[in-house]
Amino acid sequence: MTDNSMFCEVFKIKQIILVNSGASCYTKVRIDQHTALLGANNKGKTSMLNALKFFLLPEENLNDCVNKFGFKNPDGYYNREQSFGFYFPDKNSFLVLEAENPHGPFCVVVNAGGKQFSYERTGVPVPYSDIEHLFWDKESG
């Protein structure tokens, strides 16, 4: 019998950031601690949590979106055009996940891909604080 425990990595998801995505200009939510999302109906709470699917599912596009992602509203499911337009309304739309493993903190950045309804992931081996200036200028009025 082989000991597979040496191949086990522990990952901790720390926060998710939406930049010009999900009807948000810039939203950053810690998910590694107790967090409450409060707001009126249809203001993006579920959409933010649904954005985690872009990181956790092995998909590369929103084709067959209903079956793969199941993004839903009270009237039914969102199709690929609606979903893509919501999460990636333009070339400056990003989803960022900050996580940590035994090797240290890292980020996964998701942006619109080169093919229709596709998206791409890029791994960056630094904490989000090191790249935040690329997405948001804190000093700007």
Side-chain angles (χ1 to χ4, degrees):
M1 183 190 290
T2 348
D3 180 13
N4 290 333
S5 63
M6 67 180 160
F7 298 110
C8 182
E9 293 281 343
V10 176
F11 290 83
K12 178 181 179 183
I13 297 174
K14 297 175 79 173
Q15 63 182 334
I16 186 168
I17 301 94
L18 280 73
V19 180
N20 191 30
S21 177
S24 297
C25 178
Y26 185 84
T27 302
K28 182 166 59 168
V29 175
R30 296 294 304 240
I31 52 179
D32 63 341
Q33 56 196 13
H34 295 288
T35 302
L37 298 176
L38 305 172
N41 287 340
N42 206 27
K43 295 298 178 188
K45 300 177 299 293
T46 301
S47 297
M48 169 154 310
L49 296 175
N50 278 338
L52 287 170
K53 293 178 181 181
F54 288 98
F55 302 99
L56 301 176
L57 297 176
E59 309 304 330
E60 297 176 345
N61 61 59
L62 287 164
N63 295 330
D64 196 21
C65 181
V66 171
N67 291 320
K68 290 183 194 177
F69 290 90
F71 297 143
K72 189 176 180 183
N73 68 24
D75 299 325
Y77 291 95
Y78 291 106
N79 63 31
R80 67 183 182 179
E81 291 86 357
Q82 294 167 316
S83 297
F84 193 84
F86 184 73
Y87 286 105
F88 306 105
D90 68 34
K91 64 182 176 105
N92 294 314
S93 298
F94 301 95
L95 303 171
V96 183
L97 180 83
E98 181 182 23
E100 190 171 339
N101 65 20
H103 306 286
F106 64 95
C107 293
V108 177
V109 179
V110 176
N111 58 280
K115 297 179 183 173
Q116 191 174 28
F117 307 116
S118 71
Y119 56 91
E120 302 170 342
R121 296 177 191 89
T122 304
V124 186
V126 297
Y128 181 68
S129 58
D130 286 2
I131 60 171
E132 184 173 22
H133 68 279
L134 300 173
F135 301 99
W136 192 254
D137 181 2
K138 292 181 183 180
E139 306 303 318
S140 173

